[in-house]
Amino acid sequence: MRCELVHTSLPRGLDGGTGFVVAGRTGGMPRTLSDALADLSGLTEAWPGASDWDRTLRATRPIEWRGEVAWVASVIRPCGLDHTGRGNRIAHHRMLEPAEIRACDPVSLLLDHERWMASWKGDPRELDAEPSLPTLVGHQGPAQAWQSAFGDAGMAAEMVEQAYRSGVGAWIVVPPGVDRLALLHQLAGLLPHENRWKRGWSTRPLRPVADPAPVIAVVDEREPLVCAAPPNAAWILVPRAGEAPKASEAMLRRAREGVRLTEPAKARGASATVAWQPPERLGAPAVPGGASPQAAMPPAAEVAGPAGMAPPSTIRVELEPAPASGFKAMWWLLGAGLVLGVLALLWRAAA
Amino acid sequence: MAAPATASNPLMHPVRDLVGRLHCPSCWHAMRPADVLFIAEDPRLVGDPVAGADEPLRFLPSRFDLTGAAIDPEGARCTRLACPRCRREVPRPMLELPAKILSVVGAPGAGKSHLLASALWSMRRDLDRLGLQVMDAEPRLNARLHAWENRLFGSGGGARRLEKTETSGGAGYASVRIEGRTEVVPAPFVFALRRGQEPSPSSTLVLYDNAGEHFLPGADDALRPVTRHLGRSEAIVFVLDPTQDPGFRAAVGLPPVPQPPVRQDLVLAEMAARVRHHRGRRSDERLEVPLVIAMAKADLWATAARVPMTADPFAIGGDPGAALRASHVACLEVVRRGSPEFAAALAAAFDRVLVVPCSGLGRDLAHEPEAPVAPRWAAVPFVAACEFGEEGRLGGFRP
Ligand SMILES: Nc1nc2c(ncn2[C@@H]2O[C@H](COP(=O)(O)OP(=O)(O)OP(=O)(O)O)[C@@H](O)[C@H]2O)c(=O)[nH]1
Ligand SMILES: [Mg+2]
Ligand SMILES: [Zn+2]
């Protein structure tokens, strides 16, 4: 279902309560969905002196809703002081319909400033259902923002392929002063449309998670989460000016020349497009000694005894989910089979 | 589980006395010291299926070095410990010292965060005035609090104002993946607590700064058990903000404000219901858990209400009971006059109540937000909560 929700600090919320409350939401939204969207509303601490623009989180994120993955686009930003005199923020979320996902570029939607509330006006209330979002195409042409920030638009090609491979998402760490939203917009625009919605996109770091889909973020190097990350964290990518980008030929041409990409199967006959194979999502953790430092972490569920080394058995047991119950079930099955076999033999002999 | 591996660890053995049993400060899972996991230190072992893809691997060690530190699969020495259920870090002193868990409760905007920051700042420094002292059990885990202390007491400039506490996300909470479900657990502040003239700490002190919204009805559930500390805490500090209630404002001579009042009596009743629920008590049962009502923002009302806040009630050598009684009686009088419904909710649920006036900032930030703050009695409610135990200085005290 498509719907929106606004969460901010008010003296009184739509469901009662005070402080951070639901200020508005599309009429008829189920309470569980309202709670799930409210849970996405926190704005993490930024570095001291960060501007409101720097602190703003613009993101498309997947949530699990009624057993399926649903996409939520959000803009969460500071909005002055609340009724208690403390810094307030407003979180505006939109849950998208499949048709909108087919028609909208994710980052273009986040960039569409008119569409996102900057402050809440009036009493808490139910909102009318909006008309469907219009078609929003993504960035076309070469990745100029990357060209001006790093001297080579090809750096965007390397970053998007590396980040897309990561099983848990990626933080692309950039220096202060660059327009992260423009970098993110051009990054997403490199991918064929359907691939853009296989990842989330964000302008602030979100914790790396495997499920329901990894998020690719372009983040400022002063972010506290970046500073606190372990050294050589596998989900951190740092583009450097002057280095030759490592990416597929097709993606490099996309970023530098602006050619269009399409999946190999669809490429036949179309002359203006170049075939591009999305990189495989990483499924194995970094192998001690051998792996490339940029190999991203696997989906959390797949961490089950790193390949290429023999961890102590206690670790293996710890990481395998509920081994005891699995083993028990196996023994029961074996035992039952054995008893049945013996019964069958006896039956035969008796016959 | 391969508990014997840890049980054979010299660190875990009588060389150091360990507590028999402890509760995880994040998810309150009960465990023995031998059940704890170690946290890998090798940078290649990042990613834990429960704690998160960005957290180092948690493991049950089978190898130790001579000092008793565990050796991770990459050969690095590991001393940090984690809960076997939620896999959040458990500061080591919690294995060696009994824990005192204090719940800090109050409506949104009551002044919990400012009071907590001022109280802990004072409890680090004012041993003589408070008769006890706290030290970070694991400084890294208290980083959020250090930032608040710097903001309120540092020389960095800028407004002395703390942000409103977020209800989700941010450093105050952690998402963990337990049995295929995402659970949000609160991030505790953990300290080692040393009393009076004791040479070394005798317990740990565990505190939480919840968003006030979490104490409103319906805000705590199985997937967000953020106030479940109410089921384990040794004492509760309820931050009551008289300035949010028209009755209180009238009782202490403050002008009315246009905002809708916050029903703090309902917050108290909801809290009592959760305490009963988590402790398996009947709904009509009175609760013996000590309750300290921290009547906040005293700078705005205490003088007008003639509430005495002169001496340091917990100064070494003094009689805290006598010093606290006078302000307790004066505050209770304000409560009865200003909010009879709050006084009734209090009397209906709790057996041991102490009311303490306090001010985390000592002044109103509306004027001169960057000028230094001057807390008054900020630590007193927390010290009182620590001293209500049998061995404490308020052991037999009935206000
Ligand atoms: N005058 C005065 N104002 C205070 C004092 N302590 C806090 N305040 C103000 O009260 C407001 C709320 O303070 P917080 O500490 O953020 O309240 P809280 O209980 O943590 O609120 P939530 O995080 O929303 O649950 C802020 O605007 C503070 O400036 C005090 O001692 N005196
Ligand atoms: Mg707070
Ligand atoms: Zn735990």
Side-chain angles (χ1 to χ4, degrees):
Chain A
M1 87 180 267
R2 59 184 299 288
C3 47
E4 32 173 356
L5 179 137
V6 181
H7 194 262
T8 189
S9 173
L10 292 179
R12 187 63 80 234
L14 191 57
D15 305 309
T18 180
F20 284 130
V21 291
V22 174
R25 70 173 160 240
T26 309
M29 184 190 292
R31 188 59 191 262
T32 46
L33 180 58
S34 174
D35 289 348
L37 294 180
D39 277 351
L40 295 178
S41 303
L43 190 59
T44 45
E45 297 82 357
W47 59 96
S51 68
D52 283 359
W53 172 263
D54 280 329
R55 293 174 59 200
T56 300
L57 168 75
R58 292 169 198 272
T60 53
R61 287 178 276 186
I63 61 166
E64 278 162 342
W65 163 244
R66 293 200 167 143
E68 288 183 15
V69 174
W71 283 94
V72 178
S74 317
V75 173
I76 308 174
R77 54 180 142 186
C79 62
L81 302 182
D82 74 353
H83 58 286
T84 65
R86 292 173 294 171
N88 196 0
R89 54 97 179 126
I90 181 165
H92 187 181
H93 307 286
R94 271 204 172 76
M95 192 157 115
L96 306 173
E97 280 187 326
E100 292 173 317
I101 288 174
R102 283 192 297 274
C104 287
D105 169 71
V107 188
S108 298
L109 176 58
L110 301 173
L111 255 170
D112 191 8
H113 298 295
E114 301 296 293
R115 209 164 279 289
W116 301 100
M117 275 185 211
S119 64
W120 180 258
K121 299 204 172 58
D123 289 333
R125 58 187 178 272
E126 295 213 320
L127 305 170
D128 295 334
E130 280 185 311
S132 272
L133 296 171
T135 300
L136 290 168
V137 291
H139 178 76
Q140 294 171 329
Q144 312 96 329
W146 288 82
Q147 165 76 37
S148 27
F150 301 101
D152 181 356
M155 191 47 77
E158 170 171 338
M159 288 299 127
V160 80
E161 285 192 341
Q162 291 277 7
Y164 196 87
R165 284 173 69 209
S166 164
V168 293
W171 299 346
I172 299 170
V173 179
V174 298
V178 297
D179 183 349
R180 301 194 309 278
L181 188 55
L183 293 179
L184 192 74
H185 187 227
Q186 300 188 2
L187 204 66
L190 297 182
L191 297 172
H193 184 89
E194 57 277 17
N195 298 92
R196 294 176 204 163
W197 284 104
K198 290 183 179 153
R199 298 291 181 271
W201 302 91
S202 169
T203 56
R204 298 278 318 270
L206 298 173
R207 274 191 80 194
V209 288
D211 297 317
V215 176
I216 297 171
V218 174
V219 304
D220 191 288
E221 66 184 24
R222 293 165 293 178
E223 285 281 1
L225 279 176
V226 171
C227 300
N232 300 328
W235 59 92
I236 291 185
L237 305 174
V238 185
R240 293 195 199 286
E243 278 182 17
K246 298 177 225 36
S248 68
E249 196 49 44
M251 189 55 87
L252 281 171
R253 286 192 58 202
R254 167 71 192 85
R256 287 175 177 154
E257 301 163 25
V259 297
R260 286 182 51 183
L261 298 184
T262 181
E263 284 186 11
K266 297 183 194 157
R268 255 175 292 140
S271 53
T273 57
V274 175
W276 176 74
Q277 181 71 49
E280 288 274 309
R281 185 169 156 184
L282 284 177
V287 179
S292 91
Q294 292 200 329
M297 288 306 299
E302 291 170 33
V303 185
M309 68 178 211
S313 57
T314 45
I315 293 178
R316 214 177 266 287
V317 169
E318 253 312 294
L319 289 177
E320 280 161 10
S325 57
F327 277 122
K328 252 183 219 161
M330 209 172 74
W331 282 117
W332 273 109
L333 276 178
L334 273 177
L338 213 68
V339 170
L340 279 179
V342 171
L343 280 178
L345 278 177
L346 286 176
W347 174 268
R348 278 248 182 111
Chain B
M1 279 231 185
T6 319
S8 66
N9 173 0
L11 252 192
M12 301 294 165
H13 257 274
V15 188
R16 299 182 191 206
D17 281 338
L18 296 181
V19 294
R21 224 172 148 68
L22 68 149
H23 288 97
C24 166
S26 297
C27 73
W28 306 287
H29 173 69
M31 59 187 144
R32 295 167 304 150
D35 298 332
V36 295
L37 303 180
F38 277 74
I39 301 179
E41 291 291 344
D42 189 286
R44 288 166 293 190
L45 294 173
V46 175
D48 184 86
V50 174
D54 51 344
E55 286 287 324
L57 181 76
R58 275 58 168 165
F59 67 103
L60 266 176
S62 52
R63 292 186 294 157
F64 299 93
D65 73 6
L66 286 177
T67 66
I71 306 295
D72 76 22
E74 292 293 337
R77 215 176 148 259
C78 310
T79 53
R80 290 159 60 202
L81 308 168
C83 161
R85 180 174 178 273
C86 70
R87 304 207 180 177
R88 298 294 301 163
E89 184 165 354
V90 178
R92 177 169 293 271
M94 291 200 71
L95 270 72
E96 295 162 359
L97 301 170
K100 264 187 195 309
I101 300 178
L102 295 190
S103 292
V104 184
V105 181
K112 298 179 293 298
S113 300
H114 289 85
L115 187 65
L116 206 53
S118 291
L120 288 161
W121 176 250
S122 166
M123 288 164 83
R124 290 177 195 282
R125 304 149 40 100
D126 299 332
L127 173 65
D128 287 345
R129 288 172 48 207
L130 301 176
L132 55 72
Q133 190 177 34
V134 299
M135 288 140 278
D136 292 320
E138 173 57 69
R140 209 168 8 85
L141 300 183
N142 291 351
R144 200 161 40 108
L145 180 69
H146 301 160
W148 295 350
E149 291 171 337
N150 293 343
R151 183 89 64 84
L152 292 188
F153 301 100
S155 52
R160 305 278 169 184
R161 171 184 301 129
L162 303 181
E163 296 294 314
K164 170 158 176 43
T165 309
E166 274 290 0
T167 46
S168 64
Y173 312 91
S175 298
V176 292
R177 191 93 184 152
I178 298 174
E179 287 162 11
R181 296 189 322 172
T182 300
E183 198 174 288
V184 178
V185 295
F189 298 124
V190 185
F191 301 87
L193 178 73
R194 182 163 80 91
R195 288 160 178 290
Q197 316 300 2
E198 283 172 0
S200 58
S202 55
S203 66
T204 56
L205 178 64
V206 183
L207 296 145
Y208 305 83
D209 181 49
N210 284 96
E213 290 83 338
H214 290 150
F215 299 109
L216 303 178
D220 180 291
D221 61 30
L223 299 183
R224 304 172 198 83
V226 283
T227 65
R228 214 139 291 184
H229 44 82
L230 286 169
R232 294 262 163 247
S233 44
E234 261 190 38
I236 298 170
V237 175
F238 185 100
V239 181
L240 171 67
D241 180 1
T243 69
Q244 288 197 21
D245 183 290
F248 276 122
R249 292 188 73 93
V252 297
L254 288 174
V257 282
Q259 270 146 38
V262 177
R263 288 285 304 275
Q264 296 176 83
D265 59 315
L266 297 185
V267 178
L268 184 79
E270 169 73 14
M271 175 191 86
R274 287 191 206 170
V275 173
R276 289 194 182 100
H277 174 73
H278 294 315
R279 298 181 194 222
R281 299 294 154 81
R282 285 200 326 270
S283 58
D284 58 345
E285 217 172 323
R286 289 167 60 77
L287 296 163
E288 71 285 1
V289 54
L291 174 67
V292 179
I293 303 285
M295 263 178 93
K297 309 184 188 177
D299 55 290
L300 296 176
W301 56 268
T303 313
R306 304 228 172 100
V307 170
M309 292 173 76
T310 41
D312 287 318
F314 288 103
I316 290 178
D319 173 7
L324 289 170
R325 191 167 278 119
S327 56
H328 168 83
V329 170
C331 284
L332 210 53
E333 175 52 29
V334 175
V335 172
R336 289 204 185 102
R337 264 192 297 135
S339 177
E341 64 279 12
F342 190 89
L346 205 56
F350 290 90
D351 264 343
R352 293 180 82 185
V353 180
L354 174 70
V355 192
V356 178
C358 56
S359 171
L361 290 172
R363 62 185 194 79
D364 201 351
L365 286 188
H367 326 286
E368 291 193 83
E370 300 187 9
V373 297
R376 289 286 298 137
W377 278 29
V380 173
F382 299 90
V383 178
C386 289
E387 298 290 1
F388 262 114
E390 267 170 21
E391 79 295 358
R393 284 179 280 167
L394 298 176
F397 178 68
R398 299 249 154 200

